[in-house]
Amino acid sequence: PASLPELPADQQNQRRGVIYSVAASYKNTQTIWAGTDDGLLWITRDGGANWSQITPPGLTEWSRIAQIDASRFDDDTAYVAVNRMRIDDMKPYAFRTHDGGKSWQSISAGLPEDGPVDAIRADPVQPGLLYAATEKAVLVSFDDGGHWQSIEYNLPHTSMRDVLVKDDDLIVATHGRSFWILDDVAPLREIAAQAGEKMPLLFKPADAWRVRSAEYTDTPMPLDEPRGENPPDGALIDYDLQSPAQDVTLEVLSSDGAVLRKYSSHDPVTPTPEEMKKDLIPPYWPMVHGPLATTAGMHRWVWDLRSTTPTATRYSYPISAVPHRTPLNPQGPLVLPGQYTVRITVDGHSETQTITVKMDPRVHTSPADLEALHTAQMTMAQTLDAVAKADLAAHAVAEQMNAPQNASLGTQLQTYKDALKLVLEGDHAAHRPGIDEVNGEAGQLYGQLEQSDNPPTEALTQAAAHVQEEGKKAVPAWEEFREKQLPELNKVLAAAHHARINLTKPPSDMPEEGDEE
């Protein structure tokens, strides 16, 4: 441009490149930063009418100004990535200025020596938090570039051409190896805000979106098909252990203090290899759950925004599976949008943080209808839980009574078998439904209430109310058997030198819906 200042005479005939990077100020529409591919930096304070050269000292020709990032917090701060690969200089070059380019500081210390820098980006929320994209890795600085450390994780070992922060996520553009996203950088922001002080045990979670899991209309795409990956379904919860722990629990509480969900470091890994073989599904289908980590360091856990899973006599995987993300059904009801509390307890010490759950903006169900649906789901989940527990216990007793035994004992047990059969199949004379039937209906209706966020139909509402009333008849029948007849049954078994009934032992199998005993 004609407004650019005259170059010294000995430089006027030298080859000059093109403007390679431009950054507009976030604080002043008149401030623009520009860099060329031959190592020059410029700034205008009047919207481009006049430009001043502000090149960092020591930059020579063939130094490409790969990228400039203007600060979100003031008009005089910018970060610059310089790349000199064209002359086989593989060292990292990165600079910052806090006075509009009057002075520059190198922020290359700690960057890989053989990793040219393609981009330096400043976090838009937390001052001093920087991200670097190099030809070898992605790195983070918590002190405005004073020190760097890798956040490579599972990224491919390739050229990282650029990074960008969108809301709470860090996006990486690679050279030929796709886009990658680090979900929720809120913990990184909190670390930078600590400025070297004591790390928190539980980090402040980012807002979570109440979005239903993605589903294919049929079985998952084959593993060899190129495809993107959705972020985890739910809220990301990060915690840091300064040293190994013995016991870790994580709880989600409602506004009234009720525990909606609880995880523990003693939880088993599910599904087990035996369960997966029994389900006859590919090993890459299921969502695998395990215990909370107890090792030193930072850990991430995903709360699926659901309340506690109700007990069911059968859990199954839907055919609309997502690789590595397919949960067993039924699941607990999705929580409503609103404020919740996350509480972590490590070896007796507890910390809490609040988390905001936001509604999927594509769902237009009114808050009142959504709350009514949630109430119906919670009520049916409670019914299913109570009926299924009773059904499992009743079948456990029936199975143990049918174990191999002598004829004399079999005759003594027949009265108890007949009584338990009435509990399982119903007593039509007493107009009492069987617990097997009620359990099957409760499972079906809960699944239908869980299908969408639309208000339930009148027919579904009436059916749900009916099965809840049926449950109030079926479950007491089992409780009466357990309290009155089970002690007598155990006396008979003990007298015959047989093992007593063990209610904690689950039945080996449950009849399919519609099957007869």
Side-chain angles (χ1 to χ4, degrees), residues 31-32 39 81 95 137 204 244 263 313 319 348 362 395 399 401 436 443:
T31 299
I32 304 172
F95 302 88
K204 169 66 177 175
Y263 305 98
T313 54
I319 194 172
R362 299 168 299 180
H395 277 279
E399 186 175 282
M401 278 198 296
D436 276 344

Short mmCIF file of all heavy atoms in Angstrom, two decimals, residues 31-32 39 81 95 137 204 244 263 313 319 348 362 395 399 401 436 443:
data_model
loop_
_atom_site.label_atom_id
_atom_site.label_comp_id
_atom_site.label_asym_id
_atom_site.label_seq_id
_atom_site.Cartn_x
_atom_site.Cartn_y
_atom_site.Cartn_z
N THR A 31 -7.85 -1.14 14.96
CA THR A 31 -6.56 -1.81 15.10
C THR A 31 -6.55 -3.13 14.33
O THR A 31 -7.43 -3.98 14.52
CB THR A 31 -6.26 -2.10 16.58
OG1 THR A 31 -6.20 -0.85 17.29
CG2 THR A 31 -4.94 -2.83 16.74
N ILE A 32 -5.56 -3.27 13.45
CA ILE A 32 -5.39 -4.49 12.68
C ILE A 32 -3.91 -4.85 12.68
O ILE A 32 -3.05 -3.98 12.50
CB ILE A 32 -5.88 -4.33 11.22
CG1 ILE A 32 -7.35 -3.86 11.18
CG2 ILE A 32 -5.72 -5.64 10.45
CD1 ILE A 32 -7.83 -3.50 9.80
N GLY A 39 8.78 -12.37 6.94
CA GLY A 39 9.27 -12.01 8.26
C GLY A 39 8.99 -10.61 8.73
O GLY A 39 9.67 -10.12 9.65
N ALA A 81 3.07 -16.53 15.82
CA ALA A 81 3.79 -17.77 15.50
C ALA A 81 4.60 -17.53 14.23
O ALA A 81 4.07 -17.01 13.24
CB ALA A 81 2.82 -18.92 15.30
N PHE A 95 6.24 -15.37 19.73
CA PHE A 95 6.46 -14.09 20.40
C PHE A 95 5.15 -13.55 20.96
O PHE A 95 4.06 -13.90 20.50
CB PHE A 95 7.05 -13.06 19.42
CG PHE A 95 8.35 -13.48 18.80
CD1 PHE A 95 8.37 -14.22 17.62
CD2 PHE A 95 9.56 -13.13 19.38
CE1 PHE A 95 9.57 -14.61 17.04
CE2 PHE A 95 10.76 -13.52 18.80
CZ PHE A 95 10.76 -14.26 17.63
N ALA A 137 3.17 -31.43 17.82
CA ALA A 137 2.25 -31.65 18.95
C ALA A 137 1.43 -30.40 19.21
O ALA A 137 1.65 -29.34 18.61
CB ALA A 137 3.05 -32.03 20.20
N LYS A 204 -14.58 -26.92 38.39
CA LYS A 204 -15.89 -26.40 38.04
C LYS A 204 -16.31 -26.97 36.68
O LYS A 204 -15.64 -26.72 35.66
CB LYS A 204 -15.85 -24.87 37.98
CG LYS A 204 -17.08 -24.21 37.37
CD LYS A 204 -18.32 -24.40 38.21
CE LYS A 204 -19.51 -23.65 37.60
NZ LYS A 204 -20.76 -23.91 38.32
N PRO A 244 -2.32 -41.01 45.39
CA PRO A 244 -3.28 -42.12 45.26
C PRO A 244 -4.27 -42.13 46.42
O PRO A 244 -3.92 -41.81 47.56
CB PRO A 244 -2.39 -43.37 45.27
CG PRO A 244 -1.06 -42.87 44.79
CD PRO A 244 -0.92 -41.48 45.32
N TYR A 263 -21.51 -42.63 41.95
CA TYR A 263 -20.48 -43.48 41.39
C TYR A 263 -19.41 -43.70 42.46
O TYR A 263 -19.24 -42.88 43.37
CB TYR A 263 -19.83 -42.83 40.17
CG TYR A 263 -20.80 -42.43 39.07
CD1 TYR A 263 -21.25 -41.11 38.98
CD2 TYR A 263 -21.24 -43.34 38.14
CE1 TYR A 263 -22.12 -40.72 37.97
CE2 TYR A 263 -22.12 -42.97 37.13
CZ TYR A 263 -22.55 -41.66 37.05
OH TYR A 263 -23.41 -41.28 36.05
N THR A 313 -35.42 -56.81 35.46
CA THR A 313 -35.11 -58.24 35.39
C THR A 313 -34.30 -58.57 34.15
O THR A 313 -33.62 -59.59 34.11
CB THR A 313 -36.41 -59.07 35.38
OG1 THR A 313 -37.26 -58.61 34.32
CG2 THR A 313 -37.13 -58.92 36.71
N ILE A 319 -30.73 -52.16 18.97
CA ILE A 319 -30.06 -52.42 17.69
C ILE A 319 -29.55 -51.11 17.10
O ILE A 319 -28.61 -51.10 16.31
CB ILE A 319 -31.02 -53.13 16.71
CG1 ILE A 319 -30.22 -53.68 15.52
CG2 ILE A 319 -32.13 -52.19 16.24
CD1 ILE A 319 -31.05 -54.55 14.60
N GLY A 348 -12.73 -39.42 52.75
CA GLY A 348 -13.39 -38.65 53.80
C GLY A 348 -13.46 -37.15 53.57
O GLY A 348 -14.23 -36.47 54.25
N ARG A 362 -33.33 -27.73 20.20
CA ARG A 362 -34.20 -28.25 19.14
C ARG A 362 -35.52 -28.80 19.69
O ARG A 362 -36.44 -29.08 18.93
CB ARG A 362 -33.47 -29.37 18.38
CG ARG A 362 -32.19 -28.91 17.70
CD ARG A 362 -31.37 -30.10 17.23
NE ARG A 362 -30.97 -30.94 18.36
CZ ARG A 362 -30.26 -32.05 18.23
NH1 ARG A 362 -29.86 -32.45 17.03
NH2 ARG A 362 -29.93 -32.77 19.30
N HIS A 395 -38.22 -65.22 42.01
CA HIS A 395 -37.66 -66.25 41.13
C HIS A 395 -36.44 -66.92 41.76
O HIS A 395 -36.17 -68.10 41.51
CB HIS A 395 -37.32 -65.66 39.77
CG HIS A 395 -38.49 -65.58 38.85
ND1 HIS A 395 -38.94 -66.66 38.12
CD2 HIS A 395 -39.33 -64.55 38.55
CE1 HIS A 395 -39.99 -66.31 37.39
NE2 HIS A 395 -40.26 -65.02 37.63
N GLU A 399 -36.32 -70.89 42.16
CA GLU A 399 -35.22 -71.67 41.59
C GLU A 399 -34.53 -72.51 42.66
O GLU A 399 -34.18 -73.68 42.41
CB GLU A 399 -34.22 -70.72 40.93
CG GLU A 399 -33.10 -71.39 40.18
CD GLU A 399 -32.23 -70.39 39.44
OE1 GLU A 399 -32.66 -69.91 38.36
OE2 GLU A 399 -31.14 -70.07 39.96
N MET A 401 -35.87 -73.59 45.43
CA MET A 401 -36.78 -74.66 45.87
C MET A 401 -36.82 -75.81 44.86
O MET A 401 -37.10 -76.95 45.23
CB MET A 401 -38.21 -74.11 46.05
CG MET A 401 -38.43 -73.41 47.38
SD MET A 401 -40.20 -73.24 47.79
CE MET A 401 -40.78 -72.16 46.48
N ASP A 436 -44.94 -61.28 37.65
CA ASP A 436 -44.28 -61.41 36.34
C ASP A 436 -44.94 -60.50 35.32
O ASP A 436 -44.28 -59.78 34.57
CB ASP A 436 -44.35 -62.86 35.86
CG ASP A 436 -43.24 -63.72 36.44
OD1 ASP A 436 -42.26 -63.16 36.95
OD2 ASP A 436 -43.36 -64.97 36.40
N GLY A 443 -41.91 -52.52 32.55
CA GLY A 443 -40.73 -52.33 31.70
C GLY A 443 -41.09 -51.75 30.35
O GLY A 443 -40.41 -50.84 29.85
#
